[in-house]
Amino acid sequence: MTDLDLARFPRLPLLGLPTPIEPLAGLTRELGAALNGVQILVKRDDLAGFGGGGNKLRKLEFLLGAARAEGADTVITVGALQSNHARLTAAAAARNGLKCELFLTRSVPREEAAYTGNGNRFLDDLFGAEVHELPGEADSLAAAEARAEELRGEGRTVYTFPSGGSSPVGCLGYAACAAEIVTQAEAKGLELAQIVVPNGSAGTHAGLVAGLTALGRDPKLAKSYAVLAEEEAAKAEVLAKANATLDLLSPGTQVEAADILVDGHPRGPGYGIPTDAMRAAVRLMARSEGMLLDPVYSGKAFGGLLRDVAAGLYPEGSTVLFVMTGGSPGLFAYPDAFSDAAG
């Protein structure tokens, strides 16, 4: 089986699907023997849709579908100051005639103007969202829910969703992606050793696990590199969200902790804090492929994948699929991280 019964869930089309799977010929030339005979392919979710592109549109198809089904005129979500999810929520809301409010926390210790006013933060304003900035330790979801109640008191119909759009409904977007990948791999005659993604709010990995499981495939085919929570916390989050998504897709089906593969090493000292491996990965992809990884999510995850390949984690002849999740506007918030002084 390579399809899921998703027609019963409200969905607002936002992407031109399927996103392509492409080889990395330039990177292969650049790294040569360092790849140990492993082929890395990329799934170009960074090309998806509008608003600067990125994987969050997969989740927003189902989240905004649910919002429309409830008659919402306003959507509210939360994230860090440079949230890709917030930026794409603002763009999708603008495209579909919905008002949008964002509650963004100062959860990364950066105060330079490029970080506080450029990149995703600049685009939030450009897309017309009403932005509420909060201290890093604030409970942004509680603040968002309080604002939603205030707006409902004014007669508005409000739909809220959590960081990264990683509710069970949002995770359906990556369950659908699992089916898409399986179909593409079969059409191309590919046997994938691993599907690799970054892990922030855990929804991308959780959706893939749920989708693979519902399709009767091995959930361990999906692996993530944690960039927000530490490894054990990230694993627990993926497990909980995967099972909550399976409750929607295939009631009675569950996965176990052993089915969840998360590597926390690429996170480094913390969320949004640059690492040497991230800088090297971003530069390598830019200079060998002309592709843009972002400094918070995909840059760290791709650095983790390159480390694993070099360490011989995958046998010679293996094929690994890296999901390019987008987020390139975030690069413009981190110019100093790529200066000569930064390494």
Side-chain angles (χ1 to χ4, degrees):
M1 182 171 67
T2 59
D3 200 7
L4 299 173
D5 177 18
L6 296 172
R8 54 206 163 100
F9 302 105
R11 189 173 186 178
L12 184 65
L14 298 175
L15 303 99
L17 293 173
T19 61
I21 290 176
E22 299 177 354
L24 295 175
L27 180 135
T28 302
R29 285 194 306 269
E30 181 75 18
L31 294 182
L35 287 173
N36 291 324
V38 175
Q39 180 185 34
I40 301 177
L41 303 176
V42 290
K43 183 158 176 63
R44 300 294 308 276
D45 276 14
D46 58 315
L47 299 178
F50 51 92
N55 71 316
K56 304 301 184 183
L57 290 175
R58 287 192 183 271
K59 300 175 184 179
L60 286 165
E61 285 199 330
F62 289 92
L63 290 165
L64 293 185
R68 272 284 177 84
E70 293 184 10
D73 53 50
T74 304
V75 293
I76 303 178
T77 195
V78 303
L81 194 65
Q82 282 292 334
S83 167
N84 295 305
H85 163 68
R87 179 247 308 168
L88 282 171
T89 299
R95 184 182 177 104
N96 289 281
L98 297 166
K99 295 185 182 300
C100 176
E101 297 196 20
L102 307 173
F103 284 75
L104 306 180
T105 53
R106 295 289 195 99
S107 39
V108 177
R110 299 180 74 89
E111 296 297 331
E112 62 274 24
Y115 186 82
T116 60
N118 205 344
N120 288 308
R121 182 62 191 84
F122 166 70
L123 293 176
D124 296 336
D125 290 336
L126 197 62
F127 293 135
E130 182 175 337
V131 177
H132 309 266
E133 291 190 15
L134 305 173
E137 68 278 6
D139 185 339
S140 56
L141 192 56
E145 293 288 4
R147 174 62 173 161
E149 284 305 309
E150 179 184 343
L151 292 173
R152 289 176 186 124
E154 297 172 5
R156 304 260 287 276
T157 303
V158 186
Y159 190 91
T160 64
F161 37 90
S163 176
S166 294
S167 67
V169 169
C171 291
L172 290 172
Y174 266 86
C177 183
E180 185 178 305
I181 290 171
V182 168
T183 298
Q184 288 177 302
E186 290 185 353
K188 292 174 178 287
L190 297 172
E191 185 173 341
L192 299 177
Q194 202 88 80
I195 302 167
V196 176
V197 295
N199 184 335
S201 58
T204 300
H205 188 180
L208 287 173
V209 166
L212 289 167
T213 302
L215 291 166
R217 307 297 173 116
D218 185 356
K220 292 192 289 294
L221 183 60
K223 175 180 178 177
S224 66
Y225 291 97
V227 302
L228 176 57
E230 294 185 359
E231 185 174 298
E232 290 306 313
K235 284 182 181 178
E237 194 76 3
V238 173
L239 179 63
K241 290 181 177 179
N243 281 330
T245 307
L246 279 167
D247 283 340
L248 297 178
L249 278 175
S250 181
T253 305
Q254 296 280 270
V255 292
E256 306 296 333
D259 296 318
I260 308 301
L261 302 182
V262 177
D263 183 344
H265 180 270
R267 176 179 177 269
Y271 174 73
I273 300 176
T275 64
D276 289 343
M278 177 278 290
R279 280 186 279 262
V282 170
R283 287 185 173 124
L284 176 64
M285 282 290 272
R287 295 173 184 180
S288 67
E289 294 288 347
M291 293 183 185
L292 297 176
L293 299 171
D294 82 286
V296 178
Y297 297 93
S298 59
K300 286 188 174 182
F302 198 73
L305 174 58
L306 292 176
R307 172 178 173 266
D308 283 348
V309 169
L313 183 66
Y314 301 104
E316 183 178 356
S318 298
T319 299
V320 178
L321 180 65
F322 181 78
V323 180
M324 291 272 289
T325 50
S328 58
L331 282 168
F332 300 100
Y334 281 83
D336 63 325
F338 295 90
S339 68
D340 291 339

